[in-house]
Amino acid sequence: MKELTDRVRQTARKLLDGQQVDLVLGWEKGPEPFRSQPVFIREPEEAEQLVFDEFCIHNLSTFLLDYRDGQEKIGIFVKGCDSRGVVRLIEDNQFLRERLYIIGIGCPGMKDPLAAARAASGLNGTEENEGLAAKCRECMYPNPVLYDELIGDEQPPHLEGERFAQVKKLEGMSAEERWQFFSDMFSRCIRCYACRNVCVACNCRRCIFDETRPQWVGRETNLMDNIGYHVIRAMHVAGRCVECGECERVCPVGIPLMLLNRKLIKDVNELFGPYEASLKLEEEASPPLSVYRPDDPDNFL
Amino acid sequence: MKVLVKDKINTALNRLAENSQVYVPVHREGGSRFAPWPTVPGDELALDSLNTMFSPKEVVLPQTEKMYTFAARGQSVEIKETGEERKERVVFGVRACDSKAIAALDEVFLTRGYEDGFYKARREPLIIIGKACTQPGPNCFCSAMGVDPLEPDPVDVIIYDLGDAYGWEPRSERGQKLTQSLGDILADRDFQKPSAGEFQLQVDINGLPEKLAGMFEHPLWEELAEPCMNCGICTYLCPSCYCFDIQVKNRGTEGYRFRCWDSCMYPEYTMMAGGHNPRGSKHERFRNRFLHKLEFFQERYGTSLCTGCGRCIVACPQGINIVSIIKRLQEVELDVR
Ligand code: SF4
Ligand code: SF4
Ligand code: SF4
Ligand code: SF4
Ligand code: SF4
């Protein structure tokens, strides 16, 4: 990884030196060895701050939303999942391809600084520090799907076993069992909306959960309001979720959000597919739930 | 001197639970927290872990709290208060950082000419059994924030971990009474109070509030805020963040009003009726959190609103670290004019 860090620094310096971009999105080291964190640099000298190591798990593409109304050209480092996030934003008309210089890095799989911090904190007793992050163990597309420049080697998919195994288990439950499962899962949500804020597919300027006139979902933390939130969130990213796993990673109470996301990925696949969101940037491409076709299946109505 | 032998903790907690609602730190899937004793299946008493991921503020300021119900009856309206009964309550094992946070909440909700009835109803009958902290964790910096980890305050009793037992020291009249009620469970034994361990995390807040008063427009805020995603996890986990919103739920001719935690990190928090948002940008919201913690609260109440518990450092998904931020702020050289 040391060489990758060097390449990352060289690339950023070159882009900023040559004024090809105004700003570079990458990762830097925090105070603890397991802390890598997003950093935003504007001067060539700052390129020395950048790193690429096994903790650079954050999907930086979501941060592009902060600059969507600006003019600046942005250099962004992307792993496989992040690059699909960038495609997501372009496809959703949230960002112009021309404003981006994308540097792809084949991703060997990351560890989660957040999980490491929790494990080291002593706040949760003896928590397992999980090794390769959950989201990376399930990753099928570690190599960037969109880039101007590629550094590092191509990587094999990290997913072992079957992609939808957990979903199938869920589908196999009786209605009562499933209700119990989801009740347990959603009742612990504290409604911080971190899962929404971190999500690149959650790119609406005005989110339904921030609407107050009318207020579509109640703000109480109880099962019904929480379910309201979760069903809407999941449906709003159905067909557009890029499976980056960030929502589940950042959830402070460990809600397995990817299970619901994957259920919808599977359904979209079966009903409208085969379909894989944001695997390549195509002119005029739209996710299945954003288009109407007379022959759309409707047997679930 | 009294001690509570560890074998007898359950007995002691059971005794307390006879007349009071008792809260203890527990491990639970999704994060350790303070929860009622006796514990429900899935919760496990967690007296040995450093502290809880979720702070004990829930005991005095629950995330959602019903305030009153109303119903239209013809031309009139019937209003019923839903405040809880003022039953004695005991919270067991509160650390110094968290009791300091309760002290801050007391200032906010009980002083300066207005008493918050809902807070008071939970706080007044609350007995706090504090736990002296001898092993600061990797993210603890309470001592830097003026908190003595061995002296939780306010408390009614302090317990000291002695290995096989907890040294038991009443600190208030209510603490004395509680100690008497446990007379047959506590044992007599002399003990030496343990000393505090080393802090790995140090930071100097000398002069910071005064300095921050001149930094409202400083460009550093934009840089510091850039990685923040305004998710509010830091404020929800913080033992001393106390912001709430009041909302209403209607169904036909009936409904209720409730309050629920809110956070200055959210755009909706400052949204005005006419659609204007005085804290419209991410860095303004971010700045507010730090200024409230480190400057505004100090100006109004003479103490910091950050107690150094370190939870936000652990839980921020983007690695935003209040200690690193304080250091950056302290490094800034301001023009003296
Ligand atoms: S829903 Fe989760 S996995 Fe899907 S794009 Fe959003 S953050 Fe990534
Ligand atoms: S991040 Fe977790 S706790 Fe926060 S709103 Fe999402 S599911 Fe709920
Ligand atoms: S937890 Fe971190 S990212 Fe979330 S609002 Fe707080 S500082 Fe920002
Ligand atoms: S700001 Fe952070 S460290 Fe300070 S009291 Fe709140 S959670 Fe603890
Ligand atoms: S930091 Fe923000 S959420 Fe916390 S108490 Fe202050 S204003 Fe409220």
Side-chain angles (χ1 to χ4, degrees):
Chain A
M1 294 261 197
K2 175 79 182 64
E3 309 85 75
L4 278 178
T5 290
D6 291 342
R7 296 280 308 273
V8 162
R9 290 178 181 170
Q10 282 159 15
T11 312
R13 183 178 268 279
K14 177 192 77 190
L15 291 173
L16 288 165
D17 255 340
Q19 290 171 352
Q20 269 175 284
V21 300
D22 304 296
L23 166 70
V24 172
L25 271 56
W27 299 269
E28 67 172 349
K29 226 44 213 169
E32 298 115 327
F34 54 75
R35 278 286 180 196
S36 299
Q37 57 203 35
V39 69
F40 305 73
I41 63 168
R42 291 177 169 82
E43 304 300 330
E45 306 77 62
E46 293 170 339
E48 292 311 301
Q49 266 171 267
L50 295 173
V51 295
F52 189 79
D53 65 9
E54 73 265 41
F55 290 104
C56 295
I57 197 168
H58 323 72
N59 181 348
L60 301 177
S61 67
T62 313
F63 284 108
L64 291 174
L65 289 168
D66 287 345
Y67 309 93
R68 67 179 143 185
D69 296 326
Q71 302 292 327
E72 60 274 72
K73 272 207 84 177
I74 300 180
I76 181 171
F77 288 94
V78 296
K79 310 180 292 294
C81 51
D82 314 344
S83 71
R84 293 176 70 195
V86 174
V87 175
R88 172 84 280 124
L89 292 177
I90 300 172
E91 211 172 81
D92 290 350
N93 294 318
Q94 297 305 312
F95 224 88
L96 291 175
R97 176 70 180 93
E98 302 80 80
R99 284 183 57 203
L100 294 173
Y101 188 91
I102 306 166
I103 314 104
I105 311 176
C107 177
M110 293 287 145
K111 295 175 185 158
D112 181 4
L114 204 47
R118 277 196 292 251
S121 71
L123 294 177
N124 269 344
T126 44
E127 206 173 32
E128 289 262 329
N129 188 354
E130 55 178 3
L132 207 59
K135 77 173 209 177
C136 297
R137 292 196 303 265
E138 315 242 353
C139 175
M140 296 165 55
Y141 306 100
N143 299 300
V145 300
L146 178 70
Y147 51 83
D148 294 298
E149 183 176 340
L150 197 61
I151 57 182
D153 301 328
E154 197 166 308
Q155 300 287 338
H158 308 305
L159 175 76
E160 288 171 13
E162 206 212 329
R163 181 188 190 185
F164 295 116
Q166 289 301 104
V167 175
K168 286 181 180 156
K169 223 166 105 188
L170 192 69
E171 289 169 342
M173 289 180 183
S174 69
E176 293 78 46
E177 285 169 339
R178 223 171 14 243
W179 173 250
Q180 194 54 50
F181 176 83
F182 281 120
S183 301
D184 290 346
M185 168 167 158
F186 293 139
S187 56
R188 57 177 206 251
C189 174
I190 59 168
R191 302 284 291 285
C192 60
Y193 300 160
C195 49
R196 171 199 65 178
N197 288 17
V198 80
C199 175
V200 67
C202 283
N203 52 37
C204 296
R205 280 177 191 273
R206 192 85 190 260
C207 172
I208 181 173
F209 304 118
D210 295 336
E211 290 276 356
T212 47
R213 290 179 300 183
Q215 186 185 50
W216 302 96
V217 180
R219 272 285 294 272
E220 280 175 288
T221 34
N222 60 28
L223 185 57
M224 285 334 285
D225 283 359
N226 289 3
I227 286 182
Y229 169 67
H230 280 280
V231 170
I232 295 173
R233 188 207 64 84
M235 288 308 293
H236 279 194
V237 298
R240 299 189 310 114
C241 164
V242 300
E243 241 183 317
C244 70
E246 284 289 88
C247 47
E248 180 171 309
R249 181 180 77 83
V250 302
C251 175
V253 293
I255 294 180
L257 290 153
M258 287 312 288
L259 191 53
L260 202 53
N261 291 337
R262 273 206 190 91
K263 164 68 177 153
L264 286 163
I265 289 172
K266 181 166 174 282
D267 285 356
V268 166
N269 240 313
E270 285 167 4
L271 292 164
F272 307 96
Y275 183 78
E276 200 75 290
S278 306
L279 267 196
K280 60 173 186 274
L281 187 61
E282 279 173 310
E283 206 55 40
E284 305 284 310
S286 270
L289 299 190
S290 308
V291 283
Y292 171 74
R293 288 199 323 241
D295 61 340
D296 275 341
D298 56 5
N299 46 350
F300 50 85
L301 287 179
Chain B
M1 288 168 124
K2 298 274 183 206
V3 299
L4 171 61
V5 178
K6 285 191 179 172
D7 290 345
K8 292 203 167 161
I9 282 178
N10 289 12
T11 324
L13 292 173
N14 286 338
R15 170 74 57 80
L16 294 175
E18 281 169 17
N19 301 310
S20 324
Q21 172 67 58
V22 179
Y23 298 89
V24 294
V26 300
H27 287 306
R28 180 185 292 180
E29 211 189 323
S32 54
R33 64 190 63 226
F34 281 78
W37 176 269
T39 51
V40 296
D43 283 1
E44 203 187 305
L45 190 61
L47 286 175
D48 288 336
S49 84
L50 174 71
N51 200 349
T52 48
M53 189 63 91
F54 291 85
S55 85
K57 81 171 164 195
E58 288 170 275
V59 173
V60 279
L61 189 67
Q63 182 160 10
T64 313
E65 178 173 35
K66 266 197 193 141
M67 303 171 83
Y68 60 84
T69 64
F70 54 83
R73 303 263 182 260
Q75 288 298 308
S76 65
V77 57
E78 188 185 300
I79 293 180
K80 272 205 202 106
E81 295 212 13
T82 49
E84 60 174 310
E85 53 171 319
R86 295 178 177 230
K87 190 181 172 187
E88 188 167 285
R89 315 161 84 223
V90 178
V91 57
F92 192 89
V94 176
R95 309 306 172 107
C97 51
D98 291 343
S99 57
K100 171 76 193 297
I102 293 177
L105 300 182
D106 286 350
E107 291 281 1
V108 172
F109 288 108
L110 302 174
T111 72
R112 309 293 169 110
Y114 181 76
E115 283 185 351
D116 180 291
F118 299 94
Y119 181 83
K120 197 175 173 190
R122 291 176 190 275
R123 175 65 177 99
E124 211 160 52
L126 184 68
I127 293 184
I128 303 175
I129 301 184
K131 182 163 188 260
C133 225
T134 51
Q135 265 310 325
N139 305 289
C140 295
F141 60 104
C142 64
S143 67
M145 303 312 284
V147 174
D148 179 349
L150 293 175
E151 285 285 326
D153 180 39
V155 285
D156 298 289
V157 174
I158 297 187
I159 58 173
Y160 302 89
D161 198 336
L162 308 173
D164 67 324
Y166 288 113
W168 183 281
E169 191 178 85
R171 283 295 178 96
S172 72
E173 220 166 282
R174 287 201 293 180
Q176 294 279 11
K177 264 176 66 189
L178 185 92
T179 306
Q180 275 158 25
S181 75
L182 294 173
D184 55 323
I185 299 174
L186 300 176
D188 284 311
R189 191 206 288 181
D190 278 346
F191 62 87
Q192 232 186 347
K193 288 187 200 173
S195 50
E198 287 279 311
F199 278 84
Q200 299 167 38
L201 213 49
Q202 313 270 4
V203 70
D204 179 13
I205 59 160
N206 258 325
L208 186 61
E210 298 75 22
K211 185 174 187 184
L212 288 174
M215 285 187 69
F216 192 76
E217 304 282 3
H218 202 282
L220 185 61
W221 292 115
E222 270 180 71
E223 183 195 326
L224 294 176
E226 219 159 14
C228 172
M229 58 171 180
N230 274 178
C231 68
I233 289 179
C234 48
T235 58
Y236 278 7
L237 259 53
C238 179
S240 62
C241 270
Y242 52 78
C243 284
F244 61 85
D245 193 11
I246 295 180
Q247 302 205 357
V248 67
K249 264 193 194 154
N250 263 337
R251 198 161 260 225
T253 55
E254 309 192 345
Y256 56 92
R257 229 167 236 290
F258 62 95
R259 64 180 184 185
C260 56
W261 291 352
D262 201 354
S263 166
C264 60
M265 286 296 188
Y266 301 150
E268 197 195 322
Y269 176 94
T270 37
M271 185 61 88
M272 320 285 263
H276 174 63
N277 195 340
R279 248 179 247 146
S281 68
K282 166 160 112 172
H283 85 270
E284 291 168 302
R285 296 192 279 275
F286 181 92
R287 175 181 63 196
N288 182 72
R289 176 181 160 229
F290 289 96
L291 289 186
H292 188 205
K293 293 274 161 216
L294 304 169
E295 181 202 341
F296 306 151
F297 201 82
Q298 184 84 39
E299 288 166 358
R300 185 167 164 84
Y301 297 106
T303 173
S304 154
L305 187 59
C306 169
T307 70
C309 77
R311 288 183 178 92
C312 57
I313 301 178
V314 177
C316 172
Q318 309 296 13
I320 287 165
N321 178 317
I322 188 167
V323 170
S324 311
I325 290 202
I326 294 174
K327 287 182 182 159
R328 286 291 303 277
L329 292 167
Q330 290 288 41
E331 279 165 16
V332 171
E333 307 239 359
L334 290 181
D335 296 342
V336 195
R337 258 171 259 168

